[in-house]
Amino acid sequence: MANPAQGAKYRGSIHDFPNFDPSQDAEALYTAMKGFGSDKEAILELITSRSNRQRQEISQSYKSLYGKDLIADLKSELMGKFERLIVGLMRPLAYCDAKEIKDALSGIGTDEKCLIEILASRTNEQIHQLVAAYKDAYERDLEADIIGDTSGHFQKMLVVLLQGTREEDDVVSEDLVQQDAQDLYEAGELKWGTDEAQFIYILGNRSKQHLRLVFDEYLKNTGKPIEASIRAELSGDFEKLMLAVVKCIRSTSEYFAERLFKAMKGLGTRDNTLIRIMVSRSELDMLDIREIFRTKYEKSLYSMIKNDTSGEYKKALLKLCGGDDDAAGQFFPEAAQVAYQMWELSAVGRVELSGTVRPANDFNPDADAKALRKAMKGLGTDEDTIIDIITHRSNAQRQQLRQTFKSHFGRDLMADLKSELSGDLARLILGLMLPPDHYDAKQLKKAMEGAGTDEKTLIEILATRTNAEIQAINEAYKEDYHKSLEDALSSDTSGHFKRILISLATGNRDEGGEDREKAREDAKVAAEILEIADTSSSGDKTSLETRFMTILCTRSYPHLRRVFQEFIKLTNYDVEHIIKKEMSGDVKDAFVAIVQSVKNKPLFFADKLYKSMKGAGTDEKTLTRIMVSRSEVDLLNIRQEFIEKYDKSLNEVIEGDTSGDFMKALLAICGGQD
């Protein structure tokens, strides 16, 4: 595996060892294991520095020289996770996979996650080699063993994958793409119950190139990614398997980056998963996995392994990883292209944005006003009625409701709600009652009040709103506080950060498409200001900084996406990662927010929501602000990005992190479980 096919770029982290001598290596290993104790350092250094092909030659030489089985000797000398890792490296990939599957099927219960990971991710050739290796190693038929240990649609899909007959022709029929997208839609969303056979046939047999186009067509036709439909229509292990297949169709390397992250996040480490992936991908796509890992999780795979493991086990894993992408001066050539593709090919430009709160079909402002008055009259407050009405009406309907309440009762609904509710629930309900522009204006005012400034709120709002929204916020701010937003920002911030915020607050971002020639020039400016360009222009530093700020604050989103791509072509770096590395403070935070918003705005908000609830304590203000402001814009898309990245639904995290009436209201806005 260590020698790539002619013309192909090798993306593994382990290479053939130069001046390789299998007899000499066999002798070194024998010496390391001879006598009392063993030299584990020497064993790990040697085995992790050889390709799998070379390890097989070492095994043969060891047998010839000493009449002993090298794997058996390693097993007797080593122990625990380190032994499992080293022995895994000594097996050919197909036999390593066969052993993992045998272990997954043995004993009480089945390790479905292992079956899913291997069979969803391997190529036709790898599947054929796996089936043959299983037969050779255990004298058993793999298909028969899987049928005997699994059931239902999960079993059927595994058997289809086991055939290794996925089409490999890159010539795609446009008509068939449209037909498959329609068939999947009719088999799921349009059908009472689900036609699982259609999902199995199409996802189990069509080529990767074809299926990527099918997924695009499905998204265009339905307004939702295929993953959302799979979650809604399928369940259990079958759902997990089909989601894994879709992820591997989109990007096998991204699938494994996610698996590695989940293996190490939180308390405890899933060592079997960690070992299996590090062994199996070390000579295939480890560099791509590393780059995606760094881009997606804002830390290097190397650093996470280093912090999550220990001893010789850690040293061996780090050798397989092959380098730390957070190290100073690390140059990472082709893999940055993968980082670009990861979000460029995402839903960002094509998904129809959708909120979770929609106008009530049977809206009756008179009845609502009376119900709210009754809920707040007398002793005690009927919070359930208030939550139910306010969270199930659009903002336009709430404004109508305010007027009707005033007409009927001569009272200000906002004032009554404020006197009856308290704490987080009051902030949430009152936020929903304000028009969006006045709500944003109020959040900006609060961020600049009192001692200290809440820079994160200023950045979040000003970096993510459209021109029309920014202009409306300016008018609302002037109306409510008798001062221009620009003056407020000028008096409360300073330096480059002030200039960035004022530029964003003018709402003058271009709204056209991309200009490729200008995008290349903009990318050069970005490379020079971030100090990773090969050459410098004649412009001085201050002029470059102004141009860079102008690029990020005034270019259109489609144009900036092209700039980011040109930046990668020019530097082999992702612009977001370099900004984080080279800049600091509020300026860095503002630029990162702009870049993330351009790349994928719903994902930006999904990350903010996750961070507001993870760990000890909850940032209720951020949670409330985002749930209120995005509820009619793109909260459904945010939900989809949330579950995709964190493997748990927004609904589930809100339930686990909040309580009482505040939780009820948030869940109503969230709009459902994914």
Side-chain angles (χ1 to χ4, degrees), residues 47 95 171 321 365:
I47 289 176
Y95 284 83
V171 179
C321 184

Side-chain angles (χ1 to χ4, degrees), residues 199-211:
F199 278 85
I200 290 170
Y201 176 73
I202 293 171
L203 295 182
N205 289 285
R206 300 292 195 229
S207 73
K208 286 192 169 189
Q209 178 65 19
H210 174 88
L211 283 171

Side-chain angles (χ1 to χ4, degrees), residues 631-671:
S631 59
E632 292 182 57
V633 181
D634 54 2
L635 189 53
L636 190 60
N637 309 85
I638 292 167
R639 269 172 43 184
Q640 290 164 357
E641 295 291 348
F642 194 99
I643 195 169
E644 201 63 41
K645 180 162 183 180
Y646 299 109
D647 208 31
K648 56 180 74 174
S649 70
L650 176 58
N651 188 290
E652 182 186 345
V653 176
I654 289 171
E655 271 188 324
D657 211 67
T658 60
S659 60
D661 293 322
F662 181 51
M663 179 184 75
K664 287 180 192 173
L666 286 171
L667 292 177
I669 298 168
C670 184

Side-chain angles (χ1 to χ4, degrees), residues 574-640:
D574 177 65
V575 69
E576 180 185 339
H577 181 76
I578 296 302
I579 288 172
K580 287 175 180 173
K581 190 174 176 182
E582 299 296 331
M583 294 186 164
S584 61
D586 298 327
V587 170
K588 177 195 77 173
D589 292 342
F591 283 153
V592 167
I594 294 168
V595 171
Q596 290 178 342
S597 183
V598 169
K599 285 180 175 182
N600 188 336
K601 197 178 288 184
L603 179 58
F604 168 78
F605 283 115
D607 284 340
K608 294 273 288 179
L609 283 170
Y610 180 76
K611 286 168 185 169
S612 76
M613 292 182 279
K614 77 168 185 176
T618 304
D619 179 358
E620 289 88 0
K621 289 182 180 176
T622 298
L623 177 56
T624 299
R625 186 173 60 248
I626 295 173
M627 294 296 287
V628 168
S629 65
R630 310 315 294 182
S631 59
E632 292 182 57
V633 181
D634 54 2
L635 189 53
L636 190 60
N637 309 85
I638 292 167
R639 269 172 43 184
Q640 290 164 357

Side-chain angles (χ1 to χ4, degrees), residues 38-45 48 78-79 81-83 85-86 309-319:
S38 55
D39 186 347
K40 296 179 182 67
E41 189 82 34
I43 293 169
L44 84 86
E45 183 64 36
T48 59
L78 309 176
M79 58 190 294
K81 295 173 287 194
F82 181 53
E83 177 228 313
L85 175 62
I86 294 298
T309 58
S310 60
E312 282 87 9
Y313 175 53
K314 175 174 80 173
K315 290 177 186 173
L317 286 170
L318 293 177
K319 287 275 288 181

Side-chain angles (χ1 to χ4, degrees), residues 162-176:
L162 261 182
Q163 305 315 300
T165 53
R166 185 177 297 287
E167 296 163 359
E168 294 181 330
D169 189 357
D170 282 343
V171 179
V172 176
S173 160
E174 211 171 292
D175 290 342
L176 188 57

